[in-house]
């Protein structure tokens, strides 16, 4: 037997009310059971409206995941094994690659499980952990982009002091600051979400657990939670983006003041790969952020696809862009490939020539 229940939810400004049609077994003494307000499991829908083609969508998603794993692992191995790459820019790049590996593995296995096996259930603790890792790691990625911009700024605007300013100790400190900034600022998110009552539904219209997707399911006023999320987003990605843009304005000004054309072209080429990676990261991020909060007329499947693009494509593109545009990495990849094909004698030959074919 079904009964209609009128729910009043006190909030700081006013009472919010809604009708729910619930089985009689879910009501105890005229009140909703606690298990309804705080469900132990959420259900992921996937991409709303495209459920029939999930199996086909999984093909590019799986390809992206495999390329992300191979590309970033390859990048880490090359940077670790090649002494000439033990420079600030490549050390920051290795930190970015590690963050990319974790963020891909945090989301894509569950997404593929949903697409392939209809495994839609996710425990609330796993859901909150996923939210924490996604937002912490993307915040860290933003910080690494800023650190790489600072490295380019010092290298081009103050080259004589580059090695003395960005020592290994300084690089380690910058990496730790970026790590702890993300962990400290994003730690409240899971606790804020776990304390909310979800009496509307436990169905998440998304491929993974996302902060705003859960906030929209809550049946209490969430202005404070939303305000905190917006503040953290501005203080991390927003400030990082502004400082990165300012760094490149100063870099470009310094480059175009160089008297020799060859030096200008070399400096522009050095910064080119970094700019490409920044654009790949920030454009989908801002589009997803704006459509989530202001794009009420955007189709749900469009928003979900964009949200997946900003989370999954940069980890795949970063090693590809740096591999193609960075001479040292490109040469190292070619050397490894040729040596594996030709055998030990080629390895010795390349070594004797200082790593050049």
């Amino acid at each position: 037997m079904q009964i209609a229940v009128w729910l009043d939810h006190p909030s700081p400004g006013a009472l919010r009310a809604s009708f729910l049609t619930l089985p009689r077994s879910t009501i105890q003494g005229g009140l909703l059971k606690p298990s309804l307000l705080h469900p132990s499991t959420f259900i992921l829908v996937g991409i709303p409206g495209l459920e029939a083609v999930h199996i086909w969508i999984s093909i590019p998603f799986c390809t992206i995941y495999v390329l992300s794993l191979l590309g970033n692992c390859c990048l880490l191995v090359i940077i670790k094994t090649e002494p000439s790459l033990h420079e600030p820019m490549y050390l920051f790049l290795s930190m970015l690659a590690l963050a990319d590996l974790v963020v891909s593995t945090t989301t894509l296995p569950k997404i593929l499980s949903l697409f392939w096996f209809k495994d839609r259930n996710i425990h609330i603790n796993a859901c909150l952990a996923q939210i924490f890792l996604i937002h912490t790691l993307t915040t860290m990625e933003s910080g690494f982009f800023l650190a790489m911009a600072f490295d380019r700024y010092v290298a081009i605007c103050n080259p004589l002091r580059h090695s003395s300013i960005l020592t290994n100790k300084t690089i380690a400190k910058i990496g730790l600051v970026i790590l702890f900034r993300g962990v400290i600022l994003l730690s409240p998110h899971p606790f804020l979400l776990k304390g909310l009552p979800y009496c509307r539904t436990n169905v998440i219209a998304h491929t993974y657990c996302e902060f705003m997707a859960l906030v929209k399911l809550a049946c209490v006023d969430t202005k404070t939670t939303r305000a905190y999320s917006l503040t953290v987003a501005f203080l991390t990605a927003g400030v990082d983006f502004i400082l990165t843009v300012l760094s490149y304005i100063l870099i470009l000004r310094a480059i175009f003041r160089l008297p020799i054309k060859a030096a200008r072209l070399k400096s522009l080429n050095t910064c080119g790969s970094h700019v490409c990676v920044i654009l790949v990261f920030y454009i989908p991020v801002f589009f997803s952020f704006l459509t989530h909060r202001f794009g009420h007329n955007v189709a749900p499947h469009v928003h979900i696809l964009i949200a997946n693009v900003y989370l999954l494509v940069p980890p795949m593109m970063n090693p590809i862009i740096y591999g193609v545009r960075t001479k040292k990495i490109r040469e190292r990849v070619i050397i490894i490939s040729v040596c594996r094909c030709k055998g030990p004698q080629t390895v010795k030959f390349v070594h004797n020539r200082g790593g050049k074919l």
Side-chain angles (χ1 to χ4, degrees):
M1 180 179 178
Q2 304 290 319
I3 58 172
V5 183
W6 176 260
L7 297 171
D8 288 327
H9 306 294
S11 63
L15 291 177
R16 299 179 62 195
S18 59
F19 272 114
L20 289 179
T21 302
L22 304 167
R24 184 179 291 276
S25 60
T26 62
I27 308 298
Q28 283 184 345
L31 299 174
L32 281 173
K33 285 183 178 180
S35 59
L36 264 182
L37 294 175
H38 301 283
S40 61
T41 304
F42 287 99
I43 299 171
L44 296 169
V45 169
I47 303 175
L50 299 179
E51 290 89 349
V53 292
H54 274 176
I55 193 68
W56 296 107
I57 297 173
S58 71
I59 296 173
F61 274 54
C62 185
T63 305
I64 288 171
Y65 186 44
V66 171
L67 290 176
S68 297
L69 292 179
L70 292 176
N72 286 291
C73 287
C74 183
L75 202 58
L76 287 169
V77 170
I78 289 172
I79 292 172
K80 180 177 173 57
T81 57
E82 179 55 47
S84 66
L85 295 177
H86 295 175
E87 299 176 2
M89 185 177 79
Y90 301 110
L91 294 177
F92 287 130
L93 179 58
S94 65
M95 296 177 194
L96 177 65
L98 190 59
D100 285 341
L101 279 172
V102 179
V103 77
S104 295
T105 305
T106 299
T107 52
L108 265 168
K110 180 61 183 176
I111 294 173
L112 293 175
S113 176
L114 188 158
F115 287 165
W116 289 341
F117 310 114
K118 310 297 182 186
D119 181 17
R120 302 180 186 277
N121 293 344
I122 182 168
H123 193 274
I124 185 170
N125 292 334
C127 186
L128 296 177
Q130 193 179 62
I131 289 171
F132 171 73
L133 287 171
I134 288 170
H135 289 280
T136 301
L137 290 164
T138 50
T139 297
M140 288 170 60
E141 288 174 331
S142 174
F144 293 139
F145 287 134
L146 176 58
M148 293 165 76
F150 176 68
D151 167 68
R152 291 300 86 204
Y153 169 77
V154 176
I156 292 171
C157 299
N158 200 351
L160 296 178
R161 297 190 59 202
H162 180 251
S163 58
S164 61
I165 292 174
L166 285 169
T167 62
N168 288 340
K169 188 176 180 180
T170 302
I171 293 167
K173 287 180 179 178
I174 291 172
L176 287 173
V177 168
I178 292 170
L179 170 64
F180 286 120
R181 181 191 69 163
V183 171
I184 292 169
L185 290 178
L186 277 304
S187 290
H189 273 178
F191 298 102
L192 290 171
L193 291 172
K194 193 155 189 177
L196 294 176
Y198 301 100
C199 55
R200 290 197 178 115
T201 181
N202 67 335
V203 177
I204 302 173
H206 215 299
T207 53
Y208 56 86
C209 289
E210 204 271 338
F211 182 82
M212 286 304 300
L214 256 70
V215 167
K216 289 178 179 179
L217 301 182
C219 50
V220 294
D221 184 72
T222 56
K223 287 181 181 177
T224 303
T225 304
R226 290 168 184 257
Y228 180 78
S229 176
L230 285 170
T231 302
V232 170
F234 175 75
L235 291 176
T236 53
V239 171
D240 289 348
F241 179 74
I242 292 169
L243 293 176
T244 301
V245 170
L246 289 175
S247 297
Y248 271 94
I249 290 172
L250 296 174
I251 289 169
L252 289 173
R253 189 177 69 172
I255 288 174
F256 288 113
R257 285 181 177 178
L258 294 173
I260 304 172
K261 183 179 179 181
R264 290 200 298 269
L265 291 174
K266 184 179 179 181
S267 299
L268 285 171
N269 185 61
T270 302
C271 299
S273 55
H274 188 205
V275 172
C276 290
V277 168
I278 288 172
L279 292 176
V280 168
F281 178 79
Y282 277 108
I283 289 174
V285 165
F286 285 127
F287 186 85
S288 179
F289 177 81
L290 293 173
T291 54
H292 222 322
R293 285 162 175 79
F294 309 111
H296 303 297
N297 296 325
V298 177
H301 68 273
V302 173
H303 166 72
I304 303 301
L305 287 171
I306 294 296
N308 281 277
V309 165
Y310 101 73
L311 200 62
L312 307 178
V313 171
M316 176 191 70
M317 293 302 299
N318 292 346
I320 293 173
I321 292 171
Y322 277 103
V324 171
R325 295 189 59 89
T326 306
K327 184 180 179 182
K328 288 184 178 180
I329 295 176
R330 186 171 65 246
E331 287 180 348
R332 187 64 182 168
V333 171
I334 293 171
I335 288 169
I336 292 173
S337 301
V338 171
C339 289
R340 285 187 175 181
C341 294
K342 301 286 186 177
Q345 293 301 321
T346 306
V347 176
K348 185 176 180 181
F349 174 73
V350 172
H351 178 74
N352 291 337
R353 296 195 59 186
K356 294 182 179 181
L357 291 171

